[in-house]
Amino acid sequence: MKRYLPFVFLFAFSWTAILQAQKSTYKIGFSQCVSEDFWREAMEREMEIEVSLYPELELIKRDAGGNSLQQIEDVRELLGMGIDLLIISPNESDPLTPVVEEVFGQGIPVVVVDRQISSDAWTAYIGADNYEIGFQAGQYAASILEGRGSILEIAGLKGSSPAMARHDGFVEAIDAYPGVRIDHFLTGKWNWAEGKQVMDSALSQGIRPDLVFSHNDFMAAGAYEAALSHGVAGDFFFIGIDGMAEGGIQYVIDGKLDATWLYPTGGDKAIDVARRILLKQPYDRLNDLQTLLIDSRNANTLRLQNQQLASLQEKIEKQRVIAGRYREQISNLRVGAMVISAFTILVTFLIILVIRAYRGKQKANKVLEEQNIEIEKQNEKLQRISEQLEIATQQKLRFFTNISHEFRTPLTLMTGPLESLMQKDDLSIEMQHQLEMIYRNALRLLRLINQIMDFRKLENDKMELHAGQYDVVKFLQRIKDNFDPLAEKKRISFRIECSAAFQELWFDPDKMDKVMFNLLSNAFKFTTEGGAITIGFEIRDKQVGPEKMQVAEITVADDGRGMSEEHIKKIFERFYQIEQQREGNYFPGTGLGLSLSKGLIELHSGTIEVSSRKGEGTIFFVFLPLGEAHLKEEEKVQVTDPDQFDLASFQLISEELRYFTELADPEVSRQVVAATPGKSEYLILIVEDNPDLLQYMREILAINYEVLTAKDGKEAWEIVQRDLPDIVVSDVMMPFMDGLELTQRIKGDVRTCHIPVIMLTARTSIENKLEGLEAGADSYIPKPFNERHLLVRVRKLLEMRKALGDHFREYLSFEAIENPVGHMDQRFLERTSRAITDHLQDLEFGVEELSREIGMSRVHLYRKIKQITGLSVSEYIRSIKLVYAKNLIRKREMSISEVAYASGFANPSYFTKCFRNQFNQSPSDYLAQFGSE
């Protein structure tokens, strides 16, 4: 028995490993004390979405609802739950500092969000620069007051670090304007009711400021309501801070606020930094979030963007639930693999027992044989012993043989499909996506090959029909069941309507399965979300030649885009395809599907027809004759069960449908990108109509860059105009607008002509390359392309653009560089330079005035000048003035002060400061140096 103990221990250890196989997780405690619902909900939503991307993270939330004492209790509760890291957004700095120091002192990392505490006992801080926001608000206030006026400031909670920083920044800014003053300073405690109350009290006392500056939008809105109730809401300006979609942005749109400043929540950033800390990856201790001025010029745009983001977040949340299910399935597969390992160990143990038993039998026989020779008298006794041993041995062998056979069958059924899964346990999610992409395209190739082979058989009259008498209603229902998941994903109403519950019909189910797949794939291809698709069946009379006869009618109807009369006439011709925008095209076509379907139906002696109207939908009619008179004897097969269908292609089509269903959900292709956000300031636009290739390129580039995607040239052109990416990577052959036309538009528009374009195409001839380069492409990469090749091309183009900007910032000119920018960009710079020099004596001439002079929006002007020169518009205007001043100094006709005024500077000392910063010497030194040359 002792000989078998190691095997028993090994088997027990395997089962113990199965039971204890749990993935370790990190507990992140999150405590916030924010009274504004919109702010709190936005931060929690960002955190939950980010956490959902990392299975190893668990988020435990506590909300103190604006009560600092309750927040202290919440932190202690989280500490008692054994958290690995604390994320805290304190309501007040001083009261929360001791408990945060207590957590930090126990070696638990602390990430502080929004408001800082009164000590350095924290690991990382995430938040906007409240001082800078206050400073910008002060500058804005002075600007709209035109340098003169009275201000009423409504501050946040007393002792709150954001309130103190915003006040200090605001005061610092208006100190530069002697005519602007803060006459009244009130405390609104961050909420709408307090803001209304203090404003109402001030107005009742006869206080009438020119501008009301509130530390957040809710207090600003409350102050506005108080002014409205006093009938003076239109007498002064209101500005606030936060810029939430349902708060400050809406208040600006409604006219309650004149302006607000975006104060990001930083929820997603907090989770990202926390994860880096827990995984001991590099992170920044101070993480400043960027702000943005929101006024009537951009409020509507930002609200629309927020609405789109909210919709996207809702989809991400749904995908998170699906991803959770997938993770659970993977976990189950992992346990299953370990069970198989345990069974393998058991089988090995049994085989060893069989071998040992067999060897024991041989040894016993040998002993018996030797004893037989030596002691003949005991032969009978030894013979009986030998027979008994033989019987026992055979029983053992029979038992182990039978049980081994029983194990082999289920093991074969399990290990066959699971072999690849067992090898993929340690693969990353990205690698799993790539393997699925390979499998999906392999299925597509296999289906296309089968389709071509079937088509050739039809052409050569080699296609054989194997028709039996089956229940056609049951057949159609089974087809529908396979398309149901896709309909659900696309939110399409999908139903079947049959005139009878049972109807026998002579047909070949394998071939009719291909027909229905082609018809339904076209229906799903051209039916948008919220549409409807119906499979119909009935027996009816049809005019066939000079007489009527009963036929089986199968219909596939959709309310999609429909077709014109021109397309209807050619729809069944081989290789014919309708050129439409392929949004949601999960069944890339070859133009063979409908032609093949027509041939397969005619093989049944049937016909197919189509009815369609542009914009109203399409109906395909399949007519099959009843009975069996139209069939040859060799085309008939005997069917024992009309509900059982022998479908040779059914498994392949079912598998392909499963992957098409996954591809139908746009969030599937975003998971990898969301898990690996871009690491640089550069924005790359990828334009590709193949979803798998688009996903692959997105995964490659998203590691280092921010990435936008478009499915065709038309969508890409809209994105280029809106976002002005730093580089465009585009396919050539696409629906709606191809890559050549897109490139021509980019290079032919003064707003976008500076953007580099890389073309990717399978058309690799010299003529095609020349065509792309003549269209304006900066680089041309043939398919299939090398991943590193693409990354190097993108990096080199961006480095070249950056080098040009660095050169211009240093020398304020491109003169030393040969062909630095294109002709349109050169003309643009000359035009802007001329507009600036023409208005040097207009001290009010700034960014707004220059954008009107050039005929370009402020946003496009800023982005274009920034991408060409590396300078902001204000810096660019100042650089043109300095170059002009430098030329005046060289003429030695004016004093330094006169040069300053002539160059558009209002203050000679400020001119001297700017000149020294740019040229590393004062104007006087430059004049002296030039005079000595």
Side-chain angles (χ1 to χ4, degrees), residues 2 46 103 109 168 183 262 276 283 304 309 376 421 434 473 495 516 598 646 682 721 750 828:
K2 293 182 179 179
E46 289 181 3
V103 175
D168 292 343
D183 287 341
L262 175 65
R276 290 177 174 275
Y283 67 92
L304 178 59
L309 285 173
E376 293 182 356
L421 291 176
Q434 290 178 358
V473 177
R495 65 183 189 275
M516 294 304 297
K598 183 174 184 290
D646 182 18
Y682 294 112
Q721 295 177 89
V750 67
F828 169 79

Side-chain angles (χ1 to χ4, degrees), residues 176-190:
Y177 302 90
V180 180
R181 63 193 182 280
I182 301 176
D183 287 341
H184 304 281
F185 182 86
L186 307 174
T187 301
K189 299 182 181 179
W190 296 117

Side-chain angles (χ1 to χ4, degrees), residues 452-519:
I452 293 172
M453 292 176 64
D454 288 342
F455 187 78
R456 292 295 297 168
K457 287 180 181 179
L458 279 173
E459 279 192 328
N460 298 329
D461 295 325
K462 295 293 181 65
M463 180 69 75
E464 296 180 355
L465 190 67
H466 302 286
Q469 197 170 18
Y470 298 94
D471 179 6
V472 67
V473 177
K474 187 77 171 181
F475 173 80
L476 294 175
Q477 182 61 52
R478 188 170 178 183
I479 296 294
K480 177 185 178 296
D481 291 343
N482 279 278
F483 277 86
D484 278 339
L486 181 59
E488 183 179 352
K489 286 287 185 185
K490 289 195 67 179
R491 297 182 178 86
I492 290 175
S493 173
F494 185 37
R495 65 183 189 275
I496 184 170
E497 297 177 353
C498 299
S499 59
F502 175 85
Q503 176 64 52
E504 289 190 335
L505 184 70
W506 284 85
F507 66 94
D508 185 333
D510 182 67
K511 295 173 178 56
M512 287 304 299
D513 179 57
K514 295 174 183 177
V515 171
M516 294 304 297
F517 177 85
N518 284 324
L519 296 182

Side-chain angles (χ1 to χ4, degrees), residues 1-10 349 352-353 356-357:
M1 186 64 186
K2 293 182 179 179
R3 292 179 299 174
Y4 305 129
L5 286 179
F7 300 100
V8 174
F9 287 139
L10 182 60
F349 172 65
I352 292 173
L353 288 179
R356 286 176 176 270

Side-chain angles (χ1 to χ4, degrees), residues 300-426:
N300 280 300
T301 301
L302 290 173
R303 180 177 65 174
L304 178 59
Q305 291 176 347
N306 276 288
Q307 290 172 349
Q308 293 173 342
L309 285 173
S311 174
L312 177 60
Q313 289 170 346
E314 182 180 350
K315 293 179 181 179
I316 291 175
E317 177 62 22
K318 293 179 181 178
Q319 188 59 33
R320 183 182 68 83
V321 176
I322 296 173
R325 295 173 185 166
Y326 288 159
R327 287 195 294 268
E328 183 178 353
Q329 291 175 3
I330 291 172
S331 177
N332 292 337
L333 288 174
R334 185 181 295 110
V335 173
M338 298 185 72
V339 170
I340 291 174
S341 298
F343 275 116
T344 302
I345 294 172
L346 178 59
V347 170
T348 303
F349 172 65
L350 293 174
I351 291 174
I352 292 173
L353 288 179
V354 171
I355 294 173
R356 286 176 176 270
Y358 180 73
R359 289 178 176 176
K361 175 205 173 235
Q362 287 183 324
K363 185 176 181 180
N365 285 337
K366 184 177 181 180
V367 170
L368 288 175
E369 185 178 346
E370 291 175 352
Q371 289 177 347
N372 217 11
I373 295 173
E374 295 176 359
I375 310 173
E376 293 182 356
K377 294 180 179 181
Q378 298 181 3
N379 184 59
E380 184 176 354
K381 182 179 179 180
L382 292 175
Q383 185 66 33
R384 286 197 300 268
I385 295 173
S386 178
E387 289 175 355
Q388 291 172 356
L389 288 173
E390 181 69 22
I391 292 172
T393 302
Q394 290 299 326
Q395 287 176 342
K396 290 181 180 180
L397 288 172
R398 189 180 305 111
F399 170 76
F400 291 129
T401 301
N402 290 338
I403 197 169
S404 296
H405 178 74
E406 291 299 318
F407 274 124
R408 187 182 296 114
T409 301
L411 279 174
T412 302
L413 293 174
M414 287 188 288
T415 57
L418 287 176
E419 276 181 345
S420 58
L421 291 176
M422 291 168 63
Q423 297 171 359
K424 297 174 188 174
D425 283 344
D426 58 344

Side-chain angles (χ1 to χ4, degrees), residues 89-115:
S89 177
N91 187 40
E92 297 176 273
S93 300
D94 293 338
L96 270 297
T97 297
V99 72
V100 173
E101 290 177 336
E102 178 183 343
V103 175
F104 189 76
Q106 296 186 22
I108 299 175
V110 177
V111 177
V112 180
V113 181
D114 184 21
R115 298 171 173 91

